[in-house]
């Protein structure tokens, strides 16, 4: 191994999470596996076959390049849906490969219907309704115009879905806003039924909505973070556990990110450690140097905050995160030696490090840290 760290992906952990999601979503609710951001850092190419093995047959991506990776790596005829960006030049490719598209503006709808008509084909579309997030989605007047367009090209599309996305279902602070979006979504879909337009799937829920707002589950859920073994926020986990007897986290981390101790060093009381003066040894101590830093995706936000597992113990990252190194206080693990395993995310013995346990100072840290894990770190699937 030439690299300073490796990532292992656990098939059994993924199976456990998918089972949990399917049970929570309920019978007859389809799960779309959200794998944008390089499958939240896990790696699309490896993750797609793993998810298929766990029973997934539908994937959601952000962009056409990601959809291409799914088309190339799937082995069971799985479907893929682009929730975000595609160039007009790639629309024909999408149509020919049965790639499904979110429609959030009329231009996109008209161009793809015309292209489908010209090629005597059908474009698979999901009408993305604006309900209050004010990011992407058809406004009410645009929806009416979209209905007219669909009536003009009745043989040129499959209406795979109607959908929306919530502006922060992972925090109770957004409760009123999410509730009003649910209401607005219902109102706009009634408009569609009045015109006898019925989609195959209605889908609005992301992980947080699936857990905290059961009425958002409908025919399909678009689940990202939960399948990788993380709750969107601590709050969502508490929401889930609230009425449960068993208060243990029902998910398992799919990803294990590991390195090894590169060197150790003794420091005396009162000495500063690493760059600058952010960490001073409060006692004589021993320090491990680990060859992973922000260049490898270990966020600088974790300076004096991060935790790692060494010798089955949870230890603290001390000082600032460097470009290629972090320093760890070995006081609780005097037996640690160069070459010993260091777990940055995942489990060792009975302990585990979720990204969230690094600190709750930002909810987005799970998502951001995972997606920033560089592709250059080698990944392998384990049972
Ligand atoms: C990312 C995303 C999801 C999945 O979000 P999670 O919180 O990871 O479950 C669902 N829908 C859309 C539109 C998204 O962009």
């Amino acid at each position: 191994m030439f690299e300073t760290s490796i990532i292992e992906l656990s098939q059994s952990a993924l199976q456990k999470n998918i089972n949990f999601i399917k049970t929570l979503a309920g019978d007859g609710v389809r799960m779309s596996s959200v794998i944008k951001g390089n499958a939240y850092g896990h790696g699309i190419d490896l993750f797609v076959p793993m998810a298929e093995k766990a029973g997934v047959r539908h994937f959601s991506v952000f962009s056409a390049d990601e959809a291409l990776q799914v088309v190339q790596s799937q082995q069971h005829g799985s479907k893929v849906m682009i929730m975000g960006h595609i160039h007009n030049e790639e629309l024909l490719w999408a149509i020919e490969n049965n790639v499904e598209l979110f429609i959030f503006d009329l231009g996109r709808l008209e161009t793809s219907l015309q292209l489908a008509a010209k090629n005597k084909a059908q474009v698979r579309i999901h009408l993305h309704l604006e309900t209050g997030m004010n990011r992407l989605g058809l406004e009410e007047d645009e929806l009416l115009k979209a209905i007219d367009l669909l009536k003009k090209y009745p043989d040129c599309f499959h209406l795979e879905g109607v959908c929306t996305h919530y502006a922060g279902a992972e925090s109770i602070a957004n409760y009123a806003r999410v509730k009003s979006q649910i209401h607005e979504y219902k109102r706009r879909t009634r408009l569609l039924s009045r015109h006898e337009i019925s989609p195959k799937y209605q889908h609005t829920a992301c992980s947080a909505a699936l857990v905290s707002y059961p009425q958002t589950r409908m025919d399909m859920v678009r689940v990202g973070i939960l399948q990788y073994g993380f709750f969107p926020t601590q709050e969502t986990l508490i929401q889930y556990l609230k009425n449960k007897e068993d208060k243990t986290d029902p998910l398992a981390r799919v990803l294990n990110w590991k390195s090894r101790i590169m060197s150790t060093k003794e420091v005396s009381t009162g000495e500063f450690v690493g760059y600058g003066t952010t960490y001073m040894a409060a006692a004589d101590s021993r320090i491990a140097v680990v060859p992973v830093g922000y260049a490898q995706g270990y966020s600088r936000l974790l300076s004096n905050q991060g935790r790692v597992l060494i010798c089955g113990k949870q230890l603290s990252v001390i000082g600032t995160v460097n470009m290629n190194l972090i320093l760890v206080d070995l006081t609780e693990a005097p037996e640690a030696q160069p070459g010993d395993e260091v777990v940055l995310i995942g489990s060792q013995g009975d302990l585990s490090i979720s990204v969230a346990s690094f600190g709750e100072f930002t909810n987005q840290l799970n998502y951001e840290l995972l997606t920033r894990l560089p592709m250059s770190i080698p990944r392998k699937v384990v049972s």
Side-chain angles (χ1 to χ4, degrees):
M1 177 181 114
F2 287 91
E3 295 79 8
T4 65
S5 67
I6 64 160
I7 289 173
E8 289 174 355
L9 304 174
S10 161
Q11 182 71 45
S12 54
L14 179 61
Q15 186 71 60
K16 179 175 177 182
N17 301 338
I18 303 264
N19 293 350
F20 169 77
I21 292 161
K22 288 194 166 165
T23 307
L24 191 61
D27 281 347
V29 178
R30 185 198 211 189
M31 173 190 162
S32 182
S33 161
V34 179
I35 53 167
K36 63 193 181 192
N38 198 28
Y40 292 44
H42 293 61
I44 288 183
D45 302 357
L46 282 181
F47 189 82
V48 165
M50 285 178 78
E52 284 189 315
K53 210 167 163 186
V56 170
R57 291 293 180 270
H58 195 270
F59 293 94
S60 297
V61 297
F62 175 72
S63 50
D65 57 326
E66 295 172 337
L68 176 62
Q69 286 186 67
V70 177
V71 169
Q72 290 170 346
S73 55
Q74 62 78 25
Q75 298 160 358
H76 292 276
S78 289
K79 301 285 184 292
V80 59
M81 160 172 106
I82 298 178
M83 303 186 292
H85 185 263
I86 180 167
H87 291 289
N88 280 343
E89 291 75 30
E90 272 98 52
L91 280 176
L92 187 57
W93 169 83
I95 293 172
E96 286 170 344
N97 286 278
N98 291 322
V99 170
E100 303 166 16
L101 304 174
F102 268 33
I103 298 292
F104 41 78
D105 67 45
L106 292 167
R108 167 60 37 86
L109 182 60
E110 188 153 25
T111 313
S112 26
L113 288 172
Q114 286 168 350
L115 201 60
K118 198 171 131 204
N119 290 276
K120 302 203 171 12
Q122 280 97 31
V123 58
R124 297 180 182 271
I125 59 172
H126 294 256
L127 296 177
H128 183 186
L129 310 185
E130 175 60 70
T131 55
M133 181 160 181
N134 291 319
R135 191 176 67 172
L136 290 167
L138 299 166
E139 300 285 353
E140 190 160 353
D141 57 327
E142 293 172 314
L143 182 58
L144 291 168
K145 289 186 187 135
I147 292 171
D148 289 342
L149 268 173
L150 294 179
K151 287 183 175 160
K152 198 168 142 196
Y153 294 92
D155 303 322
C156 301
F157 66 92
H158 291 289
L159 186 58
E160 293 287 332
V162 171
C163 56
T164 196
H165 188 51
Y166 299 109
E170 70 285 349
S171 169
I172 194 78
N174 304 318
Y175 182 78
R177 192 163 171 208
V178 171
K179 279 290 200 184
S180 119
Q181 284 191 271
I182 296 171
H183 180 79
E184 194 57 25
Y185 176 83
K186 298 229 166 95
R187 204 175 65 74
R188 298 212 176 166
T189 47
R190 277 199 292 273
L191 208 72
L192 284 169
S193 358
R194 273 208 293 283
H195 287 84
E196 282 158 10
I197 292 180
S198 50
K200 227 153 82 189
Y201 295 95
Q202 294 208 41
H203 51 99
T204 69
C206 57
S207 296
L210 164 65
V211 174
S212 303
Y213 298 86
Q215 71 272 46
T216 65
R217 293 172 192 165
M218 305 182 191
D219 312 314
M220 177 164 111
V221 292
R222 303 184 305 262
V223 180
I225 197 87
L226 285 176
Q227 63 181 335
Y228 306 106
F230 300 91
F231 274 82
T233 53
Q234 204 63 14
E235 206 180 301
T236 312
L237 172 59
I238 292 166
Q239 181 77 18
Y240 170 74
L241 293 176
K242 205 174 53 185
N243 304 314
K244 301 282 178 301
E245 288 273 303
D246 179 2
K247 300 289 183 196
T248 52
D249 185 338
L251 301 174
R253 243 64 78 197
V254 170
L255 183 148
N256 248 288
W257 184 23
K258 295 176 183 175
S259 183
R260 292 190 177 278
I261 297 177
M262 174 177 157
S263 180
T264 61
K265 177 175 292 295
E266 314 282 337
V267 296
S268 311
T269 312
E271 289 187 315
F272 292 115
V273 179
Y275 286 121
T277 54
T278 71
Y279 186 83
M280 188 181 75
D284 290 354
S285 31
R286 198 159 152 257
I287 285 168
V289 183
V290 181
V292 167
Y294 57 81
Q296 283 79 28
Y298 201 89
S299 174
R300 286 188 79 245
L301 287 169
L302 300 171
S303 297
N304 284 308
Q305 295 276 352
R307 308 267 189 280
V308 301
L309 303 175
I310 297 176
C311 298
K313 302 201 172 85
Q314 185 164 6
L315 307 175
S316 300
V317 171
I318 58 176
T320 55
V321 171
N322 300 173
M323 186 185 288
N324 300 112
L325 297 170
I326 52 172
L327 305 173
V328 176
D329 180 4
L330 286 180
T331 306
E332 301 298 322
E335 70 276 33
Q337 294 301 328
D340 284 355
E341 181 184 88
V342 180
V343 171
L344 303 153
I345 301 175
S347 321
Q348 189 183 61
D350 297 338
L351 291 177
S352 86
I353 296 269
S354 80
V355 189
S357 76
F358 287 157
E360 291 304 318
F361 42 91
T362 149
N363 284 334
Q364 291 308 311
L365 201 60
N366 275 339
Y367 292 82
E368 191 176 326
L369 224 132
L370 289 170
T371 51
R372 286 196 177 176
L373 290 173
M375 261 326 279
S376 57
I377 302 175
R379 287 151 168 82
K380 77 166 192 227
V381 180
V382 299
S383 61

